[in-house]
């Protein structure tokens, strides 16, 4: 599929008058269309709810758009819970799917009435000791071990993943929780990441639905929901076929009708915790070419770096690049597009065929709307960029300002060095 940027050179030339590059910009229209399509794809399930994985894009302005489509939040840490709390979410609008969870985070989640999704068998006792009781509704994360494959294609390796209860622990855990007064149960599993196939959710659903029937039969537990978690991917590469969320929703429905309904479990709610699928395609990192270097390779240096988008450096991930204003020019030049970190993995693209790049060109790096800004860090003392929202009416809203040196040095506040820093430098 051809990948087109949702901004043009003219738009960026206007925006940079107020907000200099680099910045992440998000497309409200795209976010809304996708959220609507997801909601429709699962409308057949009465209790369906998407809990947006906050870690993917922890920006309240963007999450508020999703809330209009009935989404809650999926949190994994104190600050993600704090953000949800500040946004006015509580109770069944928050899923707390954490692991190696500190005691005070369980306390806070319980105080908010969030649905707690336990990552491990020992956390049953840990939670009870920490908050003094077990909530009426509790969920457990499942890890079947082994390899997870679809039609002989290995998708991922749950047996090597740190998360979740084993099958035996799950049955044992349900029994214990039941004797301790838990009344409603959830099952959660995340067995493969960034799946670009319509088969992932339906295959996962079948596994979890069969498990749910057995759990109900053997333990008598009331299964309130099954959480398919995240993992629906996006086509980062132009040659990939995007997922069709309607086909995915229909595949899950068929499994539901075949497995849960005959077992008398037609009240089970389906939950999802999608992050990437909800936001990734609707974000661009916009950066400007500021240097060129002709040595053993042809380099183009840009004003963004891996702190703004870590995925290429960390995973060797492909992110498509559109050279704004040269959308129709032939890709007849080969470049490494590089950032300014003192790290040789700080490359947004390696040996990439692009139109001829000149200093001053603006690049839109695609699919940065999830696990983009969020993974940012401050290595080399680099500062995080602003986040902007391209609204449906074409206007641009600042939804997070860029960091300043003051932010970077804020943790020295109160120490003598702080007074000596020259913030006008
Ligand atoms: C990361 C994560 C998600 C979201 O994953 P995506 O790949 O962005 O869909 C959902 N649930 C949990 C528990 C996660 O850790």
């Amino acid at each position: 599929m051809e990948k087109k940027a949702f901004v043009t050179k003219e738009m960026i030339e206007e925006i940079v008058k107020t907000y200099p590059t680099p910045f992440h910009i998000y497309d409200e229209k795209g976010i809304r269309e996708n959220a609507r399509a997801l909601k429709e794809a699962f409308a057949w399930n009465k209790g369906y709810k998407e809990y947006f994985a906050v870690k993917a894009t922890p920006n309240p302005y963007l999450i508020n758009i999703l809330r209009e489509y009935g989404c809650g939040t999926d949190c994994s840490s104190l600050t993600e819970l704090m953000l949800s709390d500040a946004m006015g979410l509580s109770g069944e609008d928050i899923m707390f799917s954490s692991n190696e969870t500190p005691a005070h985070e369980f306390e806070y989640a319980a105080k908010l009435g969030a649905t707690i999704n336990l990552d491990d068998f020992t956390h049953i006792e840990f939670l009870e000791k920490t908050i003094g009781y077990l909530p009426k509704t509790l969920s457990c994360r499942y890890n079947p071990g082994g390899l997870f494959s679809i039609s002989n294609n290995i998708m991922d390796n749950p047996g090597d993943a740190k998360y979740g209860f084993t099958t035996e622990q799950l049955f044992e855990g349900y029994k214990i929780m039941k004797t301790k007064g838990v009344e409603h149960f959830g099952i959660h599993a995340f067995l493969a990441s960034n799946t670009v196939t319509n088969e992932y959710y339906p295959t996962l659903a079948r596994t979890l639905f069969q498990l749910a029937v057995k759990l109900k039969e053997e333990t008598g537990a009331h299964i309130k929901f099954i959480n398919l978690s995240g993992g629906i991917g996006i086509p980062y590469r132009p040659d990939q076929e995007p997922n069709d969320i309607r086909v995915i929703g229909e595949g899950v429905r068929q499994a539901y009708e075949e497995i849960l309904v005959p077992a008398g479990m037609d009240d089970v709610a389906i939950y999802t915790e999608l992050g990437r699928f909800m936001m990734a395609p609707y974000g661009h990192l916009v950066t400007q070419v500021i240097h060129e270097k002709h040595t053993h390779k042809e380099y183009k240096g840009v004003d963004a770096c891996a702190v703004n988008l870590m995925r290429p450096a960390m995973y060797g991930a492909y992110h498509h690049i559109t050279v704004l204003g040269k959308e129709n020019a032939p890709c007849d030049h080969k470049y490494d597009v590089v950032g300014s970190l003192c790290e040789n993995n700080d490359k947004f693209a390696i040996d990439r065929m692009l139109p001829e790049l000149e200093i001053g060109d603006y690049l839109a790096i695609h699919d940065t709307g999830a696990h983009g800004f969020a993974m940012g860090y401050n290595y080399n003392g680099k500062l995080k960029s602003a986040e902007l929202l391209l609204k449906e009416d074409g206007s641009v809203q600042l939804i997070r300002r860029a960091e300043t040196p003051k932010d970077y040095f804020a943790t020295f506040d109160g120490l003598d060095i702080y007074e000596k820093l020259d913030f006008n430098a």
Side-chain angles (χ1 to χ4, degrees):
M1 200 186 68
E2 194 193 348
K3 290 184 83 80
K4 285 190 175 154
F6 59 78
V7 291
T8 63
K9 184 182 178 195
E10 289 67 33
M11 287 161 73
I12 295 303
E13 282 173 342
E14 201 50 42
I15 292 169
V16 297
K17 290 178 187 165
T18 315
Y19 308 111
T21 53
F23 52 76
H24 285 268
I25 187 164
Y26 302 90
D27 174 26
E28 178 178 11
K29 186 162 172 282
I31 293 169
R32 285 186 183 279
E33 283 170 3
N34 185 64
R36 201 175 297 128
L38 174 74
K39 194 176 171 190
E40 284 168 12
F42 285 92
W44 56 267
N45 181 256
K46 208 162 88 249
Y48 174 72
K49 195 172 176 77
E50 151 71 1
Y51 292 88
F52 177 68
V54 175
K55 74 162 192 246
T57 322
N59 190 303
Y61 296 89
L62 300 175
I63 297 171
N64 264 329
I65 297 174
L66 297 180
R67 286 182 70 192
E68 290 181 38
Y69 301 87
C71 299
T73 56
D74 166 36
C75 301
S76 61
S77 66
L78 173 70
T79 50
E80 291 178 1
L81 287 169
M82 285 171 66
L83 188 66
S84 302
D85 188 11
M87 290 174 65
L89 283 93
S90 65
E92 300 211 340
D93 278 334
I94 307 177
M95 182 68 57
F96 188 51
S97 291
S98 59
N99 67 94
E100 310 313 331
T101 314
H104 68 279
E105 296 191 8
F106 272 141
E107 280 166 14
Y108 188 32
K111 200 182 87 187
L112 295 178
T115 302
I116 293 175
N117 180 32
L118 297 175
D119 182 69
D120 187 56
F121 182 75
T122 62
H123 292 189
I124 300 170
E125 197 183 328
F126 185 85
L127 178 66
E128 189 183 27
K129 280 208 177 119
T130 301
I131 64 173
Y133 63 95
L134 287 182
K136 290 269 174 276
T137 300
L138 257 182
S139 175
C140 299
R141 183 168 184 164
Y142 175 52
N143 182 339
L147 295 170
F148 181 77
S149 41
I150 297 172
S151 334
N152 295 324
N153 283 326
I154 295 173
M155 306 294 296
D156 223 318
N157 186 356
D160 202 32
K162 67 173 177 171
Y163 310 105
F165 292 53
T166 66
T167 310
E168 297 71 29
Q169 289 173 339
L170 199 61
F171 281 83
E172 185 63 20
Y174 266 48
K175 285 177 197 156
I176 293 170
M177 289 190 287
K178 219 164 158 270
T179 62
K180 290 180 180 287
V182 177
E183 291 171 5
H184 309 289
F185 292 81
I187 307 172
H188 169 282
F190 190 164
L191 302 187
S193 192
N194 190 30
T195 58
V196 192
T197 158
N198 294 327
E199 291 298 305
Y200 171 62
Y201 257 15
T203 306
L204 173 66
R206 263 169 213 283
T207 306
L208 296 185
F209 293 170
Q210 282 157 358
L211 178 70
V213 172
K214 274 199 207 132
L215 276 166
K216 185 197 159 196
E217 282 169 359
E218 279 191 32
T219 70
H222 172 241
I223 314 288
K224 183 181 171 196
F225 64 84
I226 292 173
N227 185 343
L228 301 176
S229 190
I232 297 187
I234 59 136
Y236 284 97
R237 290 175 180 275
D239 59 3
Q240 286 177 304
E241 194 59 37
N243 289 318
D244 185 338
I245 197 63
R246 281 159 304 198
V247 175
I248 291 172
E250 178 56 22
V252 176
R253 190 189 68 77
Q254 280 174 16
Y256 193 98
E257 299 286 334
E258 279 171 37
I259 301 164
L260 290 182
V261 174
M265 298 171 71
D266 59 358
D267 64 336
V268 175
I270 301 298
Y271 293 167
T272 55
E273 295 175 340
L274 297 167
R276 194 185 315 270
F277 182 77
M278 303 308 290
M279 290 285 185
Y282 316 112
H284 292 325
L285 171 60
V286 178
T287 183
Q288 190 174 35
V289 177
I290 56 171
H291 289 288
E292 48 193 12
K293 181 167 170 142
H294 320 282
T295 55
H296 309 290
K297 293 185 90 171
E298 283 297 302
Y299 294 101
K300 296 290 172 176
V302 296
D303 61 3
C305 62
V307 307
N308 306 112
L309 177 67
M310 193 188 204
R311 297 186 73 257
M314 190 171 182
Y315 311 120
Y318 179 95
H319 279 264
H320 198 66
I321 294 177
T322 296
V323 185
L324 298 175
K326 298 183 179 175
E327 286 82 352
N328 299 316
C331 293
D332 53 3
H333 286 67
K334 192 194 268 187
Y335 299 117
D336 280 16
V337 178
V338 301
S340 53
L341 288 190
C342 305
E343 271 274 14
N344 198 40
N345 65 6
D346 187 13
K347 297 183 174 185
F348 291 116
I350 298 172
D351 295 332
R352 181 79 56 91
M353 297 306 295
L354 291 169
E356 181 167 19
L357 288 179
E358 291 155 283
I359 288 179
D361 278 345
Y362 291 109
L363 310 182
I365 303 180
H366 287 241
D367 302 316
T368 69
H371 311 294
F373 178 94
M375 290 175 83
Y377 54 115
N378 283 112
Y379 194 44
N380 272 204
K382 296 287 180 180
L383 305 175
K384 287 179 202 154
S385 79
E387 293 183 289
L388 308 176
L389 178 62
L390 175 62
K391 312 246 285 194
E392 281 188 300
D393 65 6
S395 64
V396 169
Q397 183 189 354
L398 180 70
I399 56 171
R400 189 195 300 264
R401 67 163 172 80
E403 274 183 347
T404 66
K406 246 190 174 146
D407 298 312
Y408 180 74
F409 290 117
T411 43
F412 288 128
D413 191 7
L415 305 180
D416 53 5
I417 185 68
Y418 194 76
E419 306 307 320
K420 301 195 178 83
L421 289 161
D422 177 7
F423 291 118
N424 300 313

